[in-house]
Amino acid sequence: MCELGERLRRAREERGLSLREAAERLALKVQVLEALEGCRFAELPEPALARGYLRRYARLLGLDPEPLLALYPGASPQEATPPPRRRGKGILWAWALAVLVLGAMGYGAYLWLRPAPAQVVSLPPETPPKSPERYPLQVESDPPGARVYVDGFYLGQTPLRSPPLEGGKRHLRLDLPGYAPVEEEVVLDRPLALRYRLAPRPAEPQAAPPAQAPPALPQGRLVLKLEGRSWLRVMQGEKRLYEGIPEVGAELAFEPPVEVRAGNPGAVRVFLDGQDQGLLGEPGKPLTRSFP
């Protein structure tokens, strides 16, 4: 187990919490906390969401989240180069004798000069840590109606006036169909009011109207059919072909090779070369899949 997971597990056990109890308090799945404590970062969602989960988990356990975030995703520290060993038994014996003499002299001086024992005073118990400050958040967008997420949790649509949230660094995301998403990290150290102007997405080519019979799926292409709601991102190398939440029933077609990332794979059906390949994955378990 890595240092990050060991710190989380030890802090949770010291507080007497089970994984299920901690997950219920955070409104998360037990598998997310198991992946964090087990350092199985490949099972977690996007890094931005995973850092949000880690930050909330650390606060629940009374830990400072910043040192733990510095350990994510568990990069191994560089091995320190051991200092060169000094050779020569005579030098070692001389150093050992000098240390013994100095230690004896120091202890004698301590016995001679030590002050009289002070009166023992019992101290009151330590004050429990202060609960984190909370501040309201107000978000507006032009146009309105954008979905607002904080650390991966849905809060509502703009114009939004949220209840007080825990202060500190928070990851904010705005989504509105037809517009480019907005993502940034905000510092919530006072009541915060934010306003964003959303940029329209470039218009995508519209499919030809269907004839009397529905057209066959295009051959030699990858088609993603939305049977439910799911966030999607489609990459071709370093180029982003699509990112957003399509309408239920929408069909998105791409020329392979592409890489598909889905937040809810159980809502996405895959057609390759006109053949039904089944669902992209299990419901509610984000994954990334490549189509060469």
Side-chain angles (χ1 to χ4, degrees):
M1 180 179 295
C2 66
E3 182 180 356
L4 171 61
E6 180 63 23
R7 289 187 183 182
L8 294 173
R9 182 192 62 78
R10 186 167 57 249
R12 175 178 58 77
E13 292 178 350
E14 289 175 355
R15 286 179 171 262
L17 290 176
S18 67
L19 279 172
R20 184 170 300 277
E21 291 171 337
E24 289 177 354
R25 293 191 184 185
L26 295 172
L28 291 174
K29 294 184 177 180
V30 176
Q31 292 82 353
V32 172
L33 302 187
E34 289 178 343
L36 284 173
E37 291 192 5
C39 299
R40 301 192 299 275
F41 303 114
E43 299 178 11
L44 296 171
E46 294 83 358
L49 296 183
R51 286 194 295 270
Y53 298 155
L54 176 57
R55 182 181 289 109
R56 288 171 55 83
Y57 194 20
R59 290 188 180 125
L60 174 66
L61 300 179
L63 301 175
D64 184 0
E66 298 305 324
L68 298 179
L69 290 171
L71 297 175
Y72 184 88
S76 299
Q78 296 180 350
E79 295 183 1
T81 304
R85 299 178 61 184
R86 298 182 180 273
R87 298 184 177 181
K89 294 184 177 180
I91 296 177
L92 292 177
W93 279 108
W95 275 105
L97 181 60
V99 170
L100 290 175
V101 172
L102 291 175
M105 293 175 62
Y107 184 66
Y110 165 73
L111 294 178
W112 180 263
L113 299 175
R114 66 177 177 176
Q119 183 180 1
V120 178
V121 179
S122 60
L123 298 177
E126 295 184 1
T127 305
K130 184 180 178 181
S131 58
E133 297 291 339
R134 293 177 174 269
Y135 305 96
L137 175 65
Q138 179 178 340
V139 184
E140 298 182 3
S141 67
D142 183 15
R147 297 169 64 88
V148 181
Y149 300 84
V150 173
D151 290 344
F153 293 91
Y154 174 66
L155 294 184
Q157 296 183 346
T158 57
L160 171 73
R161 289 173 176 78
S162 76
L165 304 175
E166 288 185 9
K169 293 182 180 180
R170 313 301 295 270
H171 182 265
L172 177 70
R173 177 183 175 93
L174 274 71
D175 271 329
L176 181 63
Y179 292 83
V182 174
E183 288 191 73
E184 69 172 353
E185 193 171 72
V186 298
V187 178
L188 194 60
D189 56 1
R190 62 186 184 281
L192 199 58
L194 303 174
R195 182 175 180 83
Y196 298 91
R197 182 179 297 274
L198 304 182
R201 288 183 182 274
E204 296 185 3
Q206 299 294 325
Q212 294 182 354
L217 294 172
Q219 299 293 321
R221 303 181 70 185
L222 173 70
V223 176
L224 305 177
K225 184 174 181 180
L226 275 294
E227 297 183 352
R229 290 188 62 82
S230 173
W231 172 84
L232 286 178
R233 182 179 65 205
V234 183
M235 303 289 294
Q236 192 170 60
E238 298 297 327
K239 182 180 180 182
R240 183 178 299 181
L241 301 181
Y242 178 82
E243 181 175 359
I245 303 177
E247 295 295 330
V248 177
E251 294 184 4
L252 307 179
F254 304 95
E255 293 288 347
V258 294
E259 181 182 84
V260 179
R261 175 73 176 173
N264 181 18
V268 183
R269 185 167 295 277
V270 178
F271 295 88
L272 187 61
D273 291 340
Q275 300 295 321
D276 186 352
Q277 304 295 318
L279 297 177
L280 185 63
E282 297 183 24
K285 293 186 177 181
L287 61 75
T288 301
R289 184 174 171 186
S290 297
F291 295 89

